[in-house]
Amino acid sequence: MAKQPPKDIAAATRLVAAGRRPEWTGPAVNPPVWRASTYLYEDSAAQEAGRHVNADGLFHYGARGGPTQWALADALTELEPGAAGTMLYPTGLAAPAMALLSVLKAGDEVLVSDNSYDPSRNIAVHALRDYGITVRFFDPLDLAGFPAAIGDKTRAVLLESPGSLSMEVCDVPALAKAAKARGLAVLLDNTWAGPTGFQAIRHGVDLSILALTKHVGGHSDLMLGSVTANAQYYPRLRKRSLMLGQQASPDDCALALRGLRTMGVRLERSSVSGLAIAEWLEQRDEVAAVLFPMLPGAPGHDLWKRDFTGGCGLMTVVMAGRDAPARDRLVDALSLFGIGYSWGGFESLVLGVHPERDRTAMPWPPRGIDPAGALAIRLWIGLEDPADLIADLERGLAAWAQS
């Protein structure tokens, strides 16, 4: 049987040990995949009693999950000091949707960080407004102006730090403190760093959102999301999620548990390679800016150094002085970087991105960068040898320079 680990262990050790309760694993190292829609009761009295008990870890019906889902949720909760529980969702996009719907109702207002991921903006702009919820976007870097943005009907704020396209790091503890002083729920998309790189709830966040498709899955073969919440908001999150039939497949949860065990070493490799590549790109004349918080001197580096214990290899590179066809030539010339959405897997990816299309309160490009010919590409640095990736980028920059 698996032994219960000590409580005071490092995050890297917790990645290996968390969620492996003996009652869920038995003699196996990993929790088995429990596929079940129906769980059987001993008798009618037990079935009737089950109707009145709605708690994690108790067999009821497949929509409430089973040991495979509970093991993953338990592990994610253990990774967030101060958390009360975690809910799982079939996609990363479902996670912010359910987090928002658990704290908002018709007539409420939510403030959304202007650097939020495009799908999160779509939830806010379309779904929430259709439900009678007012949405306003704000600049999360304007800390002094934030209190004035909070209105009488504001009930929540959605942050994303760093922004997944433009990499701004906001002062989450200060924004959370100001929000809570006015009674707001604080939500954060913490996918970039994850709980091993940024302990969201310890820094004042109420609901921490992850696209488990990314780092936790790690192999580009599953869709999954999660929300981990503190004691104040977890009961509301769980109730609303179950009410709307949200649950994750046990097979996908098993894949996520497998990925979780190696996430620490994969993130370390991606971060080290990412920093080496960012430093190389920073010296190139073709590059106007490297937006990567782990890079000394980059926007947000001081806050990253203060609040974070890790990161990953996701960055945005602002190219200088050419046009969109030049960007396409650069992207198309790369052979080790696949062209594709998502990130966080073992393979490196590249994507031409357009932050300017989704801005209402923040400038693009960032202040200090000449907007003429400023075109952005997003790079995910995977597990390949960084020297090979640099050689590939060298070929891409040669294609960028062609007339």
Side-chain angles (χ1 to χ4, degrees), residues 215-345:
H215 301 315
V216 173
H219 294 77
S220 303
D221 56 4
L222 67 87
M223 303 291 289
L224 208 63
S226 70
V227 180
T228 300
N230 60 18
Q232 180 181 357
Y233 286 97
Y234 180 65
R236 294 169 61 176
L237 174 74
R238 187 170 190 274
K239 181 178 180 181
R240 183 55 54 92
S241 298
L242 295 177
M243 185 185 300
L244 295 180
Q246 293 294 307
Q247 188 51 267
S249 156
D251 294 85
D252 286 343
C253 290
L255 288 174
L257 279 165
R258 182 193 66 179
L260 189 72
R261 307 311 179 194
T262 63
M263 186 177 76
V265 291
R266 288 186 283 103
L267 281 176
E268 182 179 1
R269 172 63 181 268
S270 175
S271 298
V272 170
S273 296
L275 184 57
I277 290 169
E279 290 171 342
W280 179 81
L281 286 166
E282 188 181 34
Q283 304 304 314
R284 299 290 304 211
D285 292 338
E286 304 95 332
V287 172
V290 180
L291 306 180
F292 185 53
M294 296 177 66
L295 179 66
H301 177 73
D302 290 342
L303 283 174
W304 176 82
K305 190 173 181 180
R306 185 192 76 181
D307 293 340
F308 289 68
T309 55
C312 70
L314 187 72
M315 69 184 75
T316 293
V317 182
V318 182
M319 305 300 297
R322 300 302 293 263
D323 52 16
R327 175 172 56 188
D328 292 344
R329 288 196 304 272
L330 188 163
V331 170
D332 293 347
L334 300 176
S335 60
L336 294 179
F337 288 82
I339 303 172
Y341 294 105
S342 198
W343 40 276

Side-chain angles (χ1 to χ4, degrees), residues 117 191 211-215 218 220-223 314 338-345 347-351 378-380:
Y117 184 42
T191 301
L212 303 180
T213 304
K214 311 290 195 290
H215 301 315
S220 303
D221 56 4
L222 67 87
M223 303 291 289
L314 187 72
I339 303 172
Y341 294 105
S342 198
W343 40 276
E347 77 297 335
S348 293
L349 296 172
V350 62
L351 203 63
R378 188 176 72 180
L379 297 177
W380 163 249

Side-chain angles (χ1 to χ4, degrees), residues 32-281:
V33 180
W34 286 62
R35 300 184 188 91
S37 60
T38 301
Y39 299 113
L40 300 178
Y41 293 89
E42 289 289 333
D43 50 35
S44 296
Q47 182 268 325
E48 179 63 23
R51 295 179 58 246
H52 304 288
V53 179
N54 183 354
D56 296 331
L58 297 178
F59 291 105
H60 176 72
Y61 181 63
R64 289 192 193 168
T68 315
Q69 290 106 324
W70 300 337
L72 177 59
D74 191 56
L76 294 169
T77 302
E78 285 191 51
L79 290 171
E80 278 282 6
T86 296
M87 293 301 297
L88 304 172
Y89 304 97
T91 67
L93 180 56
M98 291 310 308
L100 288 163
L101 290 175
S102 72
V103 299
L104 297 168
K105 65 181 185 305
D108 289 346
E109 177 181 79
V110 60
L111 299 177
V112 177
S113 173
D114 201 38
N115 64 346
S116 293
Y117 184 42
D118 182 40
S120 296
R121 293 179 69 96
N122 285 337
I123 293 169
V125 170
H126 299 291
L128 294 186
R129 286 177 177 172
D130 287 347
Y131 295 149
I133 297 166
T134 301
V135 177
R136 286 194 291 120
F137 293 97
F138 74 102
D139 183 347
L141 302 184
D142 183 10
L143 190 59
F146 178 65
I150 301 172
D152 293 338
K153 295 184 177 181
T154 309
R155 298 292 178 265
V157 55
L158 173 62
L159 304 172
E160 182 174 316
S161 184
S164 65
L165 287 186
S166 45
M167 296 292 130
E168 297 94 348
V169 179
C170 61
D171 192 334
V172 172
L175 290 168
K177 182 178 180 180
K180 289 185 174 184
R182 299 283 291 274
L184 275 60
V186 180
L187 293 71
L188 171 71
D189 188 328
N190 194 31
T191 301
W192 185 85
T196 59
F198 183 79
Q199 295 181 339
I201 291 177
R202 190 169 67 84
H203 282 94
V205 173
D206 296 307
L207 299 100
S208 178
I209 300 161
L210 297 178
L212 303 180
T213 304
K214 311 290 195 290
H215 301 315
V216 173
H219 294 77
S220 303
D221 56 4
L222 67 87
M223 303 291 289
L224 208 63
S226 70
V227 180
T228 300
N230 60 18
Q232 180 181 357
Y233 286 97
Y234 180 65
R236 294 169 61 176
L237 174 74
R238 187 170 190 274
K239 181 178 180 181
R240 183 55 54 92
S241 298
L242 295 177
M243 185 185 300
L244 295 180
Q246 293 294 307
Q247 188 51 267
S249 156
D251 294 85
D252 286 343
C253 290
L255 288 174
L257 279 165
R258 182 193 66 179
L260 189 72
R261 307 311 179 194
T262 63
M263 186 177 76
V265 291
R266 288 186 283 103
L267 281 176
E268 182 179 1
R269 172 63 181 268
S270 175
S271 298
V272 170
S273 296
L275 184 57
I277 290 169
E279 290 171 342
W280 179 81
L281 286 166

